[in-house]
Amino acid sequence: MYHFYEWNHAAIAPLRAFADAAKMFYQHPLNPIAHTEAGRTFAAMAEVFERSTRVYGKPEFGIHETVVNGVRVPVVDKPVWQKPFARLLHFERQLPEKHKADPRFLIVAPMSGHYATLLRGTVEALLPYADVYIADWEDARTVPLAMGSFDLDDYVDYVIEMLHFLGPDTHVMAVCQPAVPVLMAVAVMEAQDDPCHPATMTLMGGPIDTRINPTVVNKLAMDKGIGWFRDNVIMKVPFPHAGFLRDVYPGFLQLSGFMSMNLDRHVDAHKEFFGHLVKDDGDSAEKHREFYDEYMAVMDLTAEFYLQTVETVFITHALPKGEMMHRGNRVDLTAIKRTALLTVEGENDDISGVGQTQAAQTLCTGIPEEMRVHYLQPKVGHYGVFNGSRYRAEIAPRIVDFALTHGTTHAAAALPKKSAASLARSAEIAASESVEDPMAMSRDVKAQSRTAPASRADEPVAAPAETPAASPVSIEKTAVANPVAAPAKLPATVAKPRKPAMATTKPTIPSAKPASAAAPDKPKAAPPVAVATPAAVAPIAAAPVDAAPMAAGPVAAKPAAVAPAAPTLTETPSAGTPLVLETGGSKVLTAAARTTKVPSRTSPSSRGRRKP
C-alpha cells in the first residue's frame, strides 16, 4: 500500500501543478476576473484541490520572540543533543544579564504520527516563565536502515539520556503517548537512585491505564489484537526515501485514522474554507491553513516501537498491572519517591478517556501526598489539553507553579517554606476556633467596618510583614488581569480549614510603579470580605516568577469573622478559580467560586453620609 500511495502522489503531481497555476492566475491583481466572485470561486476550487492532494512536509516551530517581564526578547531554537531517532531542541531566550534563573522544562513530544511542532502552542505558553527544551523525534523513513532499530526500550533510554544531559532539577512534561515511557524512565532512574531524576513530572492526556473509560482507539486495539496490526499496518519504506526497506507504521495511515474519527467535522471545515475564500475572508482562511498545515504533516514510526506500544499499553495493560519490562527488568512505579507528580486531563478527551492519566496517581504510591496533584480541565478535548486558550489560561499557569513549588535551583527556590507538619498543626488550631453560626460573619463584618479606622491619603502605607514563602499545602492568590502573565500557584494538597489572617493596613503589592495616594476627600472603597464555600478553598498565588511569595492562608470552609483590610474595593476569587477536592487519594482541581463585591459604609453606594 505504501508503494501505491507514493505512486498515486506522483501521478497527480501534474494536476496539482496545474491547480496551483490556476490559483495564481485567478488571484493575480492585473487580472480583472480576480476581483469578481467568479474569479475568487475558481481560485478557491484550485486551492482546495491542491491542499487536499498535497504531501505536507515537517513544519518549522517559527517561534522568534517571547515576552519576559513585559519585555520582548528574541528566541532561537538550537539543537543541543542528537541521536539517530531524535534531537533535543533548546528554545534559547536572549535574556538580560540580571535575569534570575527560571525553571528548566523538558517537553517530551508524542511519537504518534505528528511532528513535535504540534506542541508549538505548548512551548509558547511556557517560554515567558521557563527555560524550555523539547524532544524532536525524527521521521522513521528518513533514518537509514543501517542506523539500527528503535523500540519502546530505546525510547525510555533516550528520555533518560536527555535528563542526564540537562542535569538535576529538570521538570519533565509528557504530552499524550509519551506519558507511559516517561513514567517508565522516571521509575528506572529512581530505582537506580539516579541524581538526575526530574524534580517534577507532568503527564497530560496519556494512556496510563486504558481499561478506564476506554475510547474508540482503545477498543480498536482490544478487538483486533496484535496480529492484525502486524499483518495490516506494517509496511516497508519505498524508494527513494533514506529509510528504504525499513519496516514502519506509515504516518498517512495514522492521519486517516484520526480524520475518520471526526470525518464530518473535517468535511465541514473544508466547506467553510471554500466559502471564506469566495467571500475574500482572509483571516478565517488563514486560520484554516495554519491548523491543517500542522495537522496534515505526519511522520512514520518504526514497526518495533509501534507494535510494542500497542501490545503492552493498549492490549495487555502491562504498566498498571505491574508487568511492564525495561531491558529485562520489571518497572517498579512504587520506587518513585522524590519526583512530584502532576496529572492533567480534558473533560471531553476522546483519545485518552477521563481517568486514564489519573491512574498514575494510584500507581505511584511512593510519592508523598503533598507532592501529588490531579487537574481535570472542563470543556476541552484531547487537543485542548496542551493547546488553545484554555490551556494558556488555566493549565499552563498550574504547570509553571507546580515546577516553582517543587523545584530547587530556580530563583524562588531559596525562599523559606513551612513544613507540612507545622501547617497541619496551624490548621487544626484555626479549625477549632472557626465560627459555627453562618450569620456571625455578617454581624462581625458590620461591627468591624464601623470601628475600623479609615486610612488618610497623607499617611504612609504600611508594607506587609516579611513572611515565609507559600508551601505546597496552602498558597495565597494575588489578583492579576491575565492568568498567564503571572502563573497561578497550584496547591499540592489542602490542609484543614483555618481562619484567614487579619490585616488593618493595606498590603503593598510589588509593581513596576509606586501606587499613588488617593485624595483625602474622596470616599473610600469597601474592605474585602471572604466568602465561605462548601469545600475548603485553597487560593491560588499568581505572583510573577521572580517576585517573593507572600504569606499563605486557606479560606475557612465555615463562615468566620473577618476583619476588614484597607478600605479598598476588592473581589473574592473570580469564576474559574480552582478548588481542590480530595478524590481517591489525590487532589482534583475544579472551577468554582463567584465574584462578590461588598461596598463599604463610606462608599458612593452606601445610603448614609460620611460623618465629618
Side-chain angles (χ1 to χ4, degrees):
M1 182 183 291
Y2 206 151
H3 290 79
F4 177 78
Y5 172 81
E6 290 289 322
W7 176 85
N8 181 70
H9 173 67
I12 63 176
L15 295 178
R16 264 197 327 275
F18 176 79
D20 195 32
K23 183 187 71 171
M24 296 175 61
F25 173 78
Y26 285 108
Q27 289 181 341
H28 199 282
L30 298 181
N31 186 352
I33 304 178
H35 305 286
T36 65
E37 184 174 349
R40 292 194 296 269
T41 301
F42 284 119
M45 293 170 59
E47 181 171 354
V48 171
F49 174 81
E50 190 276 331
R51 293 183 61 85
S52 300
T53 58
R54 180 196 305 177
V55 174
Y56 292 79
K58 181 180 180 179
E60 297 291 335
F61 274 98
I63 302 176
H64 304 296
E65 64 178 11
T66 188
V67 178
V68 179
N69 295 332
V71 179
R72 291 189 177 275
V73 297
V75 177
V76 180
D77 55 292
K78 298 180 178 178
V80 295
W81 177 94
Q82 190 163 2
K83 295 195 77 172
F85 289 90
R87 61 176 183 166
L88 185 63
L89 289 182
H90 178 210
F91 293 90
E92 187 177 277
R93 304 171 297 168
Q94 305 298 323
L95 298 171
E97 295 182 358
K98 297 182 179 180
H99 185 81
K100 298 180 180 179
D102 289 331
R104 181 174 57 252
F105 276 86
L106 168 61
I107 302 177
V108 183
M111 193 176 186
S112 56
H114 283 99
Y115 292 98
T117 51
L118 188 68
L119 305 186
R120 183 184 294 104
T122 311
V123 175
E124 287 179 328
L126 295 178
L127 276 176
Y129 320 107
D131 189 18
V132 181
Y133 296 77
I134 191 168
D136 187 18
W137 303 103
E138 297 290 344
D139 189 346
R141 65 181 174 183
T142 65
V143 182
L145 190 59
M147 302 305 296
S149 62
F150 182 85
D151 58 11
L152 186 59
D153 290 341
D154 294 313
Y155 195 118
V156 174
D157 293 340
Y158 271 45
V159 173
I160 294 176
E161 290 185 35
M162 292 178 189
L163 290 171
H164 284 167
F165 176 83
L166 295 176
D169 199 41
T170 298
H171 307 276
V172 62
M173 284 178 57
V175 180
C176 190
Q177 169 267 326
V180 171
V182 166
L183 188 59
M184 293 172 59
V186 175
V188 171
M189 297 178 73
E190 288 271 38
Q192 298 175 353
D193 199 20
D194 195 322
C196 292
H197 72 90
T200 68
M201 171 174 49
T202 302
L203 309 180
M204 308 176 68
I208 301 299
D209 190 351
T210 58
R211 298 172 298 178
I212 304 173
N213 293 327
T215 62
V216 176
V217 178
N218 308 146
K219 293 177 181 178
L220 175 66
M222 291 294 296
D223 295 340
K224 298 296 183 180
I226 192 63
W228 183 90
F229 288 96
R230 184 181 293 107
D231 298 335
N232 293 275
V233 302
I234 302 302
M235 306 172 188
K236 291 188 178 296
V237 176
F239 182 82
H241 296 289
F244 177 54
L245 295 181
R246 177 182 292 277
D247 288 329
V248 297
Y249 171 61
F252 68 84
L253 286 182
Q254 183 77 333
L255 178 63
S256 301
F258 280 142
M259 297 190 71
S260 64
M261 295 177 61
N262 300 283
L263 186 59
D264 54 341
R265 294 175 56 186
H266 291 291
V267 172
D268 292 340
H270 282 77
K271 288 180 179 179
E272 293 175 0
F273 175 59
F274 179 84
H276 294 323
L277 293 175
V278 174
K279 295 177 182 178
D280 202 19
D281 186 355
D283 291 340
S284 299
E286 187 59 29
K287 290 180 180 178
H288 176 95
R289 293 189 189 99
E290 291 177 358
F291 175 79
Y292 278 97
D293 283 351
E294 189 71 55
Y295 189 78
M296 302 288 283
V298 292
M299 55 183 286
D300 296 350
L301 312 179
T302 60
E304 55 273 16
F305 168 77
Y306 175 78
L307 294 174
Q308 187 177 358
T309 300
V310 170
E311 183 176 14
T312 59
V313 176
F314 296 97
I315 297 179
T316 63
H317 309 102
L319 187 63
K321 290 180 178 179
E323 301 170 356
M324 182 66 78
M325 306 294 290
H326 173 259
R327 302 296 183 193
N329 299 317
R330 189 177 67 85
V331 177
D332 184 12
L333 298 183
T334 62
I336 305 176
K337 299 179 180 179
R338 298 172 295 173
T339 300
L341 174 62
L342 169 63
T343 52
V344 182
E345 293 181 331
E347 182 182 29
N348 302 323
D349 196 333
D350 57 351
I351 304 296
S352 297
V354 175
Q356 293 185 8
T357 309
Q358 187 183 10
Q361 301 283 356
T362 305
L363 297 173
C364 300
T365 57
I367 302 177
E369 183 71 15
E370 62 272 14
M371 295 172 61
R372 293 192 285 126
V373 172
H374 175 70
Y375 177 67
L376 177 66
Q377 176 61 48
K379 301 180 181 180
V380 299
H382 186 72
Y383 189 78
V385 172
F386 57 89
N387 229 322
S389 59
R390 286 189 174 89
Y391 164 77
R392 293 189 296 269
E394 301 290 340
I395 298 177
R398 287 170 169 81
I399 295 174
V400 174
D401 178 79
F402 194 70
L404 292 175
T405 303
H406 299 285
T408 58
T409 59
H410 57 79
L415 298 174
K417 299 180 180 180
K418 290 183 178 180
S419 64
S422 62
L423 286 168
R425 287 194 299 269
S426 301
E428 292 177 359
I429 296 174
S432 63
E433 299 175 356
S434 61
V435 180
E436 298 292 341
D437 185 7
M439 299 300 295
M441 180 180 67
S442 177
R443 293 195 301 267
D444 291 345
V445 168
K446 291 180 180 179
Q448 294 181 20
S449 64
R450 291 194 295 267
T451 59
S455 61
R456 297 179 54 87
D458 54 350
E459 292 178 351
V461 179
E466 184 175 355
T467 56
S471 74
V473 177
S474 60
I475 308 174
E476 186 180 7
K477 177 176 188 274
T478 305
V480 290
N482 185 349
V484 181
K489 278 279 183 181
L490 178 64
T493 183
V494 178
K496 296 182 180 179
R498 64 178 182 180
K499 186 182 298 184
M502 302 297 108
T504 58
T505 59
K506 182 177 181 180
T508 302
I509 300 177
S511 60
K513 298 181 181 180
S516 58
D521 57 343
K522 291 185 178 180
K524 302 300 185 296
V529 179
V531 179
T533 61
V537 181
I540 307 301
V545 172
D546 55 351
M550 301 176 65
V555 179
K558 299 180 181 179
V562 181
T568 56
L569 187 61
T570 312
E571 293 183 3
T572 59
S574 59
T577 301
L579 307 181
V580 185
L581 308 178
E582 294 188 1
T583 58
S586 62
K587 304 298 179 285
V588 180
L589 281 77
T590 58
R594 296 181 178 273
T595 300
T596 304
K597 296 184 179 180
V598 182
S600 69
R601 186 171 58 85
T602 60
S603 66
S605 60
S606 60
R607 296 182 180 179
R609 290 190 175 182
R610 182 179 179 185
K611 295 182 180 180

